[in-house]
Amino acid sequence: SVWLIHHKASIDTYSPMNLDGSTFMIGIGVVPATDMKQAIEIFDAYLQEQQMQVLEIWKCEQYLPKNFAQPTMENREINEVAAQALDTGEVFYACAISSEALDCTENDDE
C-alpha cells in the first residue's frame, strides 16, 4: 500500500531538494509501506537523506484511488506519483511548494 503524508519540513541550504534558497517545504510524501508507522519511519529516513526534517504532520492517510477521482490538478499528481511509488517501491513528493514560492504566491494575492 501507499501512504500520503501531508507535512511541512525544514530544508537545508545544501539539500538536493532546495532549488530556490527556501527554509522549508510543504507537500505530500508518497510512501510505499505496509502501515502508517512504517510509512512515517521510511519518510523520516528519506527526508534525512535529502537534508530535510519534519516540522509538522497534519494528515497521514492510506492512498485509495477512489478518494482522488475528482479531475483536479492535485489529484492527477497524487494518482501519478502513487502509481510510481507502487511500481518502484520508492518515496516520492507530490504537490510540493517551497517557502520561497509560497512567499511569491502570497505577494501575488495582495
Side-chain angles (χ1 to χ4, degrees):
S1 63
V2 170
W3 293 82
L4 306 177
I5 303 174
H6 303 251
H7 70 284
K8 177 179 180 179
S10 65
I11 185 166
D12 187 82
T13 305
Y14 302 105
S15 167
M17 299 280 281
N18 197 344
L19 305 177
D20 61 6
S22 289
T23 57
F24 68 87
M25 286 184 72
I26 294 173
I28 303 171
V30 182
V31 184
T34 54
D35 58 43
M36 186 186 302
K37 183 178 185 291
Q38 182 189 39
I40 291 170
E41 289 170 357
I42 290 169
F43 188 59
D44 195 46
Y46 169 81
L47 287 179
Q48 286 180 22
E49 289 171 11
Q50 303 301 319
Q51 295 172 297
M52 297 173 71
Q53 186 173 4
V54 169
L55 296 172
E56 187 179 345
I57 293 176
W58 50 86
K59 185 175 177 184
C60 186
E61 62 183 321
Q62 189 170 11
Y63 170 74
L64 301 170
K66 68 179 184 189
N67 295 343
F68 299 92
Q70 292 290 328
T72 65
M73 206 162 93
E74 185 175 283
N75 283 354
R76 278 195 296 276
E77 185 175 343
I78 289 168
N79 287 324
E80 273 181 35
V81 174
Q84 286 180 299
L86 279 169
D87 286 348
T88 64
E90 294 177 27
V91 175
F92 288 90
Y93 236 93
C95 309
I97 187 163
S98 67
S99 58
E100 288 294 314
L102 200 57
D103 280 348
C104 289
T105 60
E106 286 173 357
N107 291 337
D108 290 347
D109 293 342
E110 292 174 3

